[in-house]
Each structure stands twice: as structure tokens, then as C-alpha cells.
Amino acid sequence: MLSGKVKLAIAPIAWTNDDMPDLGSENTFEQCVSEMALAGFTGTEVGNKYPRDTAVLKKALELRGLNVASAWFSAFLTTKPYEETKTEFIKHRDFLHAMGAKVIVVSEQGHSVQGQIDTPVFDKKPVFTDEEWTKLAEGLNKLGELAKEKGMKIVYHHHMGTGVQTEEEVDKLMNMTDENLVYLLYDSGHLKFSGEDTISVLKKYINRIKHVHLKDIRPEVVEKVKNEKWSFLKAVREGAFTVPGDGCIDFEPIFKILDDNNYEGWFVVEAEQDPAKANPLEYAIKARKYIKEKAGI
């Protein structure tokens, strides 16, 4: 059973949104981590309100029985010199290593439209040139080596509004990178949002998946995103994402495939919504209950 191998975390983005700071601006770091623990989670990813002093952060998390699962890193391998990404990555890696994390979430943000409030996420999604694909793959292999120095792994986050969003793009990235250096973060919500087959990607890369984001979508909102040419950020504001069990994704087959293949690591509930519309504690409890029912953990 998954219970012995999987740890459960939740992302702070439900409480305060790093890309749109007005969403949840009233929610403090202390409230966020206290409610995570109250809802029954033992891990967290790291948000902008989290203290960067590792001693301070460790104390706050230990009081609540929480550990750091990982934290997002923005790479710019397609648009900036590699050395710039390398310098920032080493700082990020060392912070996460000090916090006891084993994986580093990496997403390529060169040409990304995910943070642009007026740019349609489907119509204006970036497409990399052959040269950019090469820079990305070679750069990620190097970041993988840097992670390995600390006994860590990088997990690549395919993401809406970026050059690695579709199943075809995930395939290309996986084929172009070293399987011993570059791993995959499996995000159910981003695949479903993009219109991909969530099960196909999971089965294909099950041995390279070392981190899982559990995210659901509201299909009626995603339809509006396409038809009304909304940006990614507007989609978030309008409720495109929600927690497992509240949207249209059936997670039972996902949990079964992960269990059958002895997945070990974190499940991270990550569902950015407007906290004024979706109370973070209420939705955290809803997600925790659903995972207990469907995955037995």
C-alpha cells in the first residue's frame, strides 16, 4: 500500500498566491502552516511568505510536525546564459538541502506566459526552437549533476503557459535529457487543463516520476479559458483549479498505478484558488479526506 511509501504535503499557494500577492494577502505564514498541520498534512512546499532563515523556518515547521517537500525554481535556460541559472540554482539547492528536501522542482520560464495577466494561455503558449530545446536539455542535465552533488534530484514541472506543457513536449524533454539526471514532476491538473491524457503520461514515465502534484480542475471554467481567451492567472482567479475530489479527475487509477509501481516520495496537494472564494483550511480538509478514502493514506 501507498501508506508506507508516500508522504502527504500541501502547497501554500492555496493560502497566499506568489504570482498574485493580493490573493490571500491577509493570510500569514503562521496561519498557513498551522492550518496545513490541522488538516492532517506532514509536508509543505515553500512560498514567498516563508522565512528564508533555515533555523527560523525549521523551528516553525517542527512545532507543527511539518517538513519541506520541495520548492519551485524558475530556470531561464532558453533565454539567458546558463551561468545565471546555475548561480541561482545553487542557492536554491543549498537552501532546500539544509531543509532536508530530496527533490528540487524546476520549471523553464524562458518565454513563459504563465505570469502574464492579459496573455491568452492557450493561444500564446510559447513553442521552443530546436536550438532552445538543446539549451534546455543540456542545461537541465547540468542542473541534475549539481543536484546529485547533494544527493538530490531535479524534477521537471510541465506547466500551463510554458514551452513544456503538452504530452508531446514532455516526451521530447524526457527523450532529450539523461534519465539518471532529469526526473519528472507529475501534475495531474496541468495535464488535464492542457487537454492531455493524464494516465498515458503517468504510465510512460512512471520510473522517472519522483514528485507528484495532486491538482484537480473545474472543466466548465477551463472551457471558458479556451473560448474567452483567458490568461493563466485569470483562469486561477476564476477557479480553474481545485483540490482532488472537487473537480473532474478520477484519482483512483492514478493512485493505483503509483502504488503498483512502488512510487516513493511526496504527494503534494497543490490547488491555487482565490482564498476569499475557497477557504484554504476547508479545501485542505476536503483534499485530505478524499486522499484517505481513495488512496488509503
Side-chain angles (χ1 to χ4, degrees):
M1 280 298 289
L2 284 165
S3 55
K5 301 172 285 192
V6 172
K7 295 172 284 188
L8 282 183
I10 190 164
I13 202 163
W15 281 264
T16 55
N17 193 297
D18 290 349
D19 295 319
M20 296 177 283
D22 62 300
L23 291 187
S25 59
E26 69 284 0
N27 294 327
T28 64
F29 160 70
E30 289 81 5
Q31 179 187 339
C32 172
V33 290
S34 295
E35 291 186 352
M36 288 174 171
L38 188 59
F41 292 89
T42 57
T44 175
E45 290 196 341
V46 178
N48 274 351
K49 287 187 180 175
Y50 282 44
R52 301 303 285 193
D53 180 323
T54 54
V56 173
L57 182 55
K58 272 180 185 166
K59 183 178 179 184
L61 296 182
E62 280 170 6
L63 282 170
R64 296 161 174 89
L66 295 171
N67 289 291
V68 169
S70 188
W72 171 282
F73 176 77
S74 294
F76 291 91
L77 297 164
T78 59
T79 54
K80 294 181 183 178
Y82 166 74
E83 292 302 320
E84 286 187 35
T85 290
K86 177 186 176 181
T87 302
E88 291 305 311
F89 179 81
I90 288 171
K91 280 189 234 166
H92 189 76
R93 175 201 69 180
D94 292 352
F95 166 75
L96 284 178
H97 183 259
M99 292 306 301
K102 301 293 184 199
V103 296
I104 305 163
V105 174
V106 177
S107 184
E108 175 59 26
Q109 289 299 295
H111 305 298
S112 169
V113 301
Q114 76 182 63
Q116 298 172 10
I117 194 71
D118 296 321
T119 306
V121 67
F122 280 103
D123 292 7
K124 299 290 184 181
K125 181 196 125 21
V127 177
F128 294 146
T129 63
D130 289 345
E131 184 189 0
E132 285 167 342
W133 273 110
T134 301
K135 280 183 182 173
L136 176 59
E138 289 176 356
L140 287 173
N141 284 340
K142 289 177 188 171
L143 297 184
E145 291 276 14
L146 290 170
K148 208 172 181 180
E149 286 176 8
K150 295 281 189 181
M152 302 171 80
K153 292 180 169 75
I154 63 165
V155 286
Y156 190 88
H157 193 340
H158 54 88
H159 199 285
M160 291 298 298
T162 73
V164 186
Q165 171 186 305
T166 66
E167 181 171 358
E168 187 181 346
E169 289 162 345
V170 171
D171 288 345
K172 187 161 187 170
L173 187 76
M174 293 290 97
N175 287 333
M176 288 182 74
T177 50
D178 185 334
E179 64 181 13
N180 298 306
L181 294 173
V182 179
Y183 299 88
L184 187 65
L185 181 158
Y186 174 79
D187 189 306
S188 53
H190 279 276
L191 288 171
K192 192 74 173 174
F193 194 139
S194 179
E196 314 309 314
D197 184 337
T198 54
I199 298 297
S200 167
V201 172
L202 181 61
K203 284 182 173 174
K204 212 183 299 182
Y205 300 111
I206 189 67
N207 294 322
R208 281 177 85 174
I209 291 167
K210 301 298 176 188
H211 204 53
V212 173
H213 277 180
L214 299 177
K215 186 188 295 231
D216 213 335
I217 64 159
R218 295 185 175 96
E220 67 281 5
V221 180
V222 170
E223 271 308 300
K224 281 190 177 180
V225 177
K226 288 178 190 165
N227 298 336
E228 299 178 26
K229 302 190 184 306
W230 291 356
S231 66
F232 178 73
L233 296 182
K234 182 168 171 63
V236 169
R237 280 187 178 275
E238 297 298 329
F241 292 126
T242 186
V243 298
D246 191 55
C248 69
I249 298 174
D250 178 5
F251 283 85
E252 280 194 84
I254 292 172
F255 292 145
K256 183 169 190 328
I257 292 163
L258 289 162
D259 188 20
D260 288 348
N261 288 275
N262 297 309
Y263 172 79
E264 283 189 48
W266 288 98
F267 280 178
V268 184
V269 172
E270 190 208 34
E272 56 266 50
Q273 303 186 73
D274 181 347
K277 297 177 188 172
N279 179 278
L281 177 58
E282 180 189 338
Y283 276 79
I285 291 168
K286 187 181 285 193
R288 184 68 192 88
K289 189 175 174 214
Y290 178 83
I291 295 164
K292 177 103 177 143
E293 283 173 6
K294 303 299 182 183
I297 51 174

